[in-house]
Amino acid sequence: MTTLTFDSLNPATGQVVGSHPKQSADAVREAVDRAEAAAAWWAGLGHAERKRRLLDYKAVITRHLRELAGLVHEETGKPVADATLEIVLAITHLDWAARNAPKVLGRRRVSAGMMGVNLAATLEYLPLGVVGVIGPWNYPIFTPMGSIAYALAAGNAVVFKPSELTPGIGVRMAELFAASVPEHPVFQTVTGLGETGAFLARDPRVKKIAFTGSTATAKRVMAACAENLTPIVAECGGKDAFIVDADADLKAAADACLWGAMSNAGQTCTGVERVYVVDAVYEPFMRELSERAASIKAGEHYGPITMPGQLDIIRRHIDDATKSGKAITGGPGSVRAPFVDPVIVADVPEDSPAVREETFGPTITVRRTRDAQEALELANASAYGLAGTIFSRNARRAMELARAMRTGMTAINSVISFAGVPALPFGGVGDSGFGRIHGADGLREFARPKAISRQRFALPGMNLTSFSRGADELERLIRLVTFLHGRRKR
Ligand code: NDP
């Protein structure tokens, strides 16, 4: 007999945190039924009232910050301070989405151009209806909120399927929303294993899926969505590079590199995984990095590996890297399940799994490069393209490198700082996925543009969309278009 519930466990202690239903196809269908009705009501409220409700939800989450951080700590094992930071970021995004949706998505006039002088052109972004959000466990509030807040602000109802490792957090997020929006279930959470997410992706009444997780699962979700031509936004992790240029502040670079790589036990989609250091500063940077790394310990500075199966991947990457490269900090003995201490390995061949595949653990590979250009070329030679970092005191050079980096986001002289700027879109290229959450692009991701052209008056002698059109009207059109567009630009 199949079990009807599953447990979420504290990965540090193995203790049961909570028990949740494995929601069936019927249960997901019923949730989507309710969401459809709620979506119509929520859309009808209009921007101003939605903004008020979402800002209220933000205040409710803020007042429950400590409780939520405790729950995130229990379900993921991450320190309460890191959980707090994650929730603060989510609050910032919720605030931005609520405040900016009216301006970004609301109705506005656009120019109709010279050829349309008799038209009034209007553009607005309307809700899609029901949005399905399939979330990960590594930042169980911040990451899904990057879709949930923006989808709600755009006027959609949301059905959220959290990772089976962090269901309690997902349930609580929806419960707290009901305090601000008690009338209809505009935001619901369904719990279960991967199959529950698949039911959501296959439901034709779900008008968009926002997925965060592995590239392999994104492909499965996309295949399910293809049946109904349901669009998806996919955030699938990365293998982010960190470039240290010759004029970088090496202390600041080493400090940021370590935090970017090891915080959250390296389970960060935009975490540092590959480090490229230009020859001129390689030795002093490595001294700085290894000295600092020596004092960082799993279980003290960061938590355990949340997903037990990930330990095998981390172990395989460490074994592979230390066989071919030179261990600077740690090695195979750094894995003390469920914890992994920092591992830094230099000179690992660029075609090895430790350099090519997402590790999702507190490990980095480091390589010496001739110059920043070579570092950039190696950084870009990845199937992934989510984010990256440049450390350089030359602002112009750093900007050039950042622009040439084949990623959705790049931080200069800081790590992952773009994630805390709600106005900046977040998402990747290549195997890192497509579509954007956050910012104006993130709001538009969950809306459909509606274009309206209204004729204000008939243009005398220029009725071009009529069978009564004569040769003289066409002649006038040719003269007009030649005047407007026929001159060559010098
Ligand atoms: P998955 O990609 O398997 O899971 C992500 C989400 O998709 C979870 O909610 C999961 O539910 C759900 N899901 C799984 N199968 C399906 C399906 N067929 N249809 C719909 N939804 C589904 O990631 P994992 O948690 O297993 O982690 C695997 C790897 O993904 C990690 O090793 C890491 O490299 C990467 N990852 C990247 C993240 C990022 O931020 N980009 C976040 C998390 C992981 P359930 O949890 O119940 O299986």
Side-chain angles (χ1 to χ4, degrees), residues 134-135 137-138 161 163-164 193-194 197-198 211 214 217 237 269 310 358:
I134 298 175
W137 42 264
N138 54 341
K161 155 65 178 76
S163 162
E164 67 195 57
L193 311 185
F211 171 85
S214 61
T217 304
C269 50
Q310 194 70 24
E358 184 175 46

Side-chain angles (χ1 to χ4, degrees), residues 8-359:
S8 77
L9 306 176
N10 181 324
T13 62
Q15 277 172 344
V16 175
V17 180
S19 192
H20 299 273
K22 284 184 196 166
Q23 285 183 316
S24 62
D26 282 344
V28 172
R29 204 175 302 122
E30 284 162 19
V32 178
D33 280 347
R34 290 190 293 271
E36 269 203 313
W41 175 80
W42 183 241
L45 282 189
H47 280 295
E49 182 60 12
R50 283 198 299 267
K51 175 178 165 184
R52 202 180 67 73
R53 302 296 187 107
L54 289 172
L55 291 178
D56 190 68
Y57 179 43
K58 176 197 71 169
V60 170
I61 290 199
T62 307
R63 288 200 297 276
H64 286 79
L65 180 57
R66 287 175 203 280
E67 176 212 321
L68 287 169
L71 192 51
V72 171
H73 165 68
E74 284 191 349
E75 285 197 325
T76 66
K78 72 172 73 175
V80 172
D82 287 354
T84 305
L85 190 61
E86 164 184 351
I87 300 165
V88 169
L89 279 183
I91 289 168
T92 313
H93 279 277
L94 183 51
D95 181 70
W96 194 93
R99 288 185 195 282
N100 286 278
K103 189 173 70 207
V104 173
L105 306 175
R107 190 163 63 206
R108 62 174 177 273
R109 290 277 287 269
V110 296
S111 164
M114 282 294 277
M115 301 290 284
V117 283
N118 61 331
L119 300 175
T122 307
L123 170 64
E124 68 183 306
Y125 293 83
L126 299 176
L128 301 173
V130 180
V131 169
V133 176
I134 298 175
W137 42 264
N138 54 341
Y139 292 92
I141 292 190
F142 167 68
T143 299
M145 192 59 98
S147 298
I148 294 167
Y150 291 80
L152 290 171
N156 304 285
V158 168
V159 179
F160 174 37
K161 155 65 178 76
S163 162
E164 67 195 57
L165 302 181
T166 53
I169 297 157
V171 168
R172 195 70 186 120
M173 282 166 76
E175 274 173 7
L176 292 177
F177 183 80
S180 304
V181 186
E183 297 93 335
H184 292 273
V186 172
F187 171 19
Q188 300 171 78
T189 291
V190 291
T191 57
L193 311 185
E195 157 182 271
T196 303
F199 298 143
L200 189 60
R202 275 205 293 268
D203 192 312
R205 295 162 307 157
V206 172
K207 297 302 173 209
K208 185 144 198 171
I209 288 285
F211 171 85
T212 307
S214 61
T215 310
T217 304
K219 289 178 185 175
R220 279 201 288 280
V221 171
M222 222 174 141
C225 286
E227 282 174 34
N228 301 304
L229 219 59
T230 307
I232 91 163
V233 45
E235 202 278 85
C236 314
K239 191 72 185 171
D240 289 0
F242 185 104
I243 296 178
V244 186
D245 205 351
D247 55 2
D249 176 340
L250 299 184
K251 284 188 193 313
D255 183 57
C257 180
L258 264 188
W259 193 85
M262 312 301 169
S263 62
N264 206 29
Q267 304 166 114
T268 304
C269 50
T270 54
V272 175
E273 298 223 4
R274 301 176 291 146
V275 182
Y276 298 105
V277 189
V278 302
D279 182 48
V281 291
Y282 184 80
E283 304 296 345
F285 175 78
M286 291 307 281
R287 253 196 318 277
E288 199 62 58
L289 187 68
S290 53
E291 273 171 29
R292 284 167 189 266
S295 62
I296 306 297
K297 293 273 166 296
E300 199 178 314
H301 296 94
Y302 57 81
I305 299 305
T306 304
M307 186 169 74
Q310 194 70 24
L311 282 161
D312 294 335
I313 297 172
I314 296 169
R315 227 182 251 116
R316 177 165 64 78
H317 285 188
I318 296 174
D319 289 347
D320 161 67
T322 48
K323 263 187 211 125
S324 52
K326 179 176 158 212
I328 305 289
T329 301
S334 303
V335 182
R336 315 177 269 115
F339 294 97
V340 180
D341 287 318
V343 177
I344 302 174
V345 191
D347 305 330
V348 182
E350 289 294 303
D351 60 355
S352 55
V355 177
R356 306 228 69 79
E357 298 169 12
E358 184 175 46
T359 308

Side-chain angles (χ1 to χ4, degrees), residues 243 245 247 372-373 375-377 379-380 389-407 410-412:
I243 296 178
D245 205 351
D247 55 2
Q373 188 53 39
L376 179 72
E377 281 160 22
N380 284 349
T389 314
I390 315 273
F391 261 78
S392 163
R393 282 199 179 93
N394 180 338
R396 212 166 110 203
R397 176 84 188 120
M399 193 55 122
E400 277 169 16
L401 289 167
R403 292 188 65 224
M405 194 177 250
R406 186 187 153 273
T407 59
T410 298
I412 298 173

